[in-house]
Amino acid sequence: MKRGATETRVSDARPSEARQRLLGTATQIFYANGIHSVGVDRIIAEAKITRATFYRHFPSKDDLVVAYLQEVHQMERGAVTAAIATHPTPTDALLAIADGIATNLQSPGFRGCAFLNAAAEFPDVEHPVHKQIIDHRQWFLDTLTTLLAQVAEESSDAAARHFVMLRDGAMAAGCLFDPALIADTFLRGTQGLIRVHGERPVAGVGS
């Protein structure tokens, strides 16, 4: 009985390692090359696992895509959480989040926002991948709104949407033009937004 339990624990540990290898491989390939252009065969070959192992962990390619976006979400959430934890004031936390985005824009291999890229490939609002995209974006918007509400509650909703719009524009432009220039423009925009939001809490644009 004890032997069987030990064998089960070892067996459970091995798939976890294979799953991480599959997910790590898919994350690199999907981000660099797009999702629809990459087939399961390539992921299996580069991850160096069997087809049976792939389908044991991911019944379909769509399941792998959802897991890939969940992985990216966790990385981005971790960065935002760290920025908030290490900056005691909401203004400093917002500026730190913006700095992190600007740094990402200038990182080697930058190819835009993984979620915006995926949205272009999965426009069906009922598709699980599209729903994962919306969940991530709602989390980011909610996080910004919460921080901005601590600066000036009346205008936090509009300011958070403005921040997301600036971020989306920078993500789209960052892989098309000079990333350093785009990062600088993005930072100027977010810094101005945060400063104005804090100094003049208004209910809407133009108030």
Side-chain angles (χ1 to χ4, degrees), residues 54-123:
F54 176 91
Y55 286 110
R56 184 163 64 248
H57 293 290
F58 302 103
S60 71
K61 180 182 173 182
D62 284 349
D63 291 311
L64 176 60
V65 176
V66 169
Y68 150 64
L69 291 177
Q70 290 173 340
E71 185 81 355
V72 178
H73 168 75
Q74 289 303 322
M75 289 189 290
E76 294 192 4
R77 184 166 189 153
V80 169
T81 300
I84 295 172
T86 55
H87 294 82
T89 71
T91 296
D92 287 343
L94 287 161
L95 292 173
I97 291 170
D99 283 342
I101 293 169
T103 299
N104 185 32
L105 289 170
Q106 301 173 80
S107 62
F110 177 76
R111 193 180 167 273
C113 171
F115 293 91
L116 292 178
N117 293 346
E121 297 194 64
F122 292 88

Side-chain angles (χ1 to χ4, degrees), residues 127-147:
H127 196 284
V129 172
H130 191 93
K131 290 181 178 181
Q132 187 66 41
I133 295 164
I134 297 303
D135 287 347
H136 169 78
R137 291 180 62 79
Q138 189 62 54
W139 158 78
F140 187 56
L141 178 62
D142 290 346
T143 300
L144 294 175
T145 303
T146 298
L147 288 170

Side-chain angles (χ1 to χ4, degrees), residues 113-195:
C113 171
F115 293 91
L116 292 178
N117 293 346
E121 297 194 64
F122 292 88
D124 181 1
V125 296
E126 296 301 322
H127 196 284
V129 172
H130 191 93
K131 290 181 178 181
Q132 187 66 41
I133 295 164
I134 297 303
D135 287 347
H136 169 78
R137 291 180 62 79
Q138 189 62 54
W139 158 78
F140 187 56
L141 178 62
D142 290 346
T143 300
L144 294 175
T145 303
T146 298
L147 288 170
L148 286 160
Q150 297 175 56
V151 179
E153 185 173 2
E154 291 182 4
S155 58
S156 59
D157 289 344
R161 291 194 299 271
H162 193 172
F163 192 115
V164 172
M165 184 184 69
L166 290 171
R167 181 259 185 200
D168 287 350
M171 284 285 175
C175 55
L176 298 174
F177 305 103
D178 179 0
L181 178 61
I182 299 302
D184 180 69
T185 303
F186 168 72
L187 287 176
R188 289 175 183 272
T190 52
Q191 288 165 2
L193 170 68
I194 295 166
R195 183 178 65 252

Side-chain angles (χ1 to χ4, degrees), residues 14 16 33 40 42 47 114 119 144 193 196-197:
R14 286 173 182 166
S16 177
N33 299 281
V40 168
R42 179 179 174 185
L144 294 175
L193 170 68
V196 170
H197 177 69

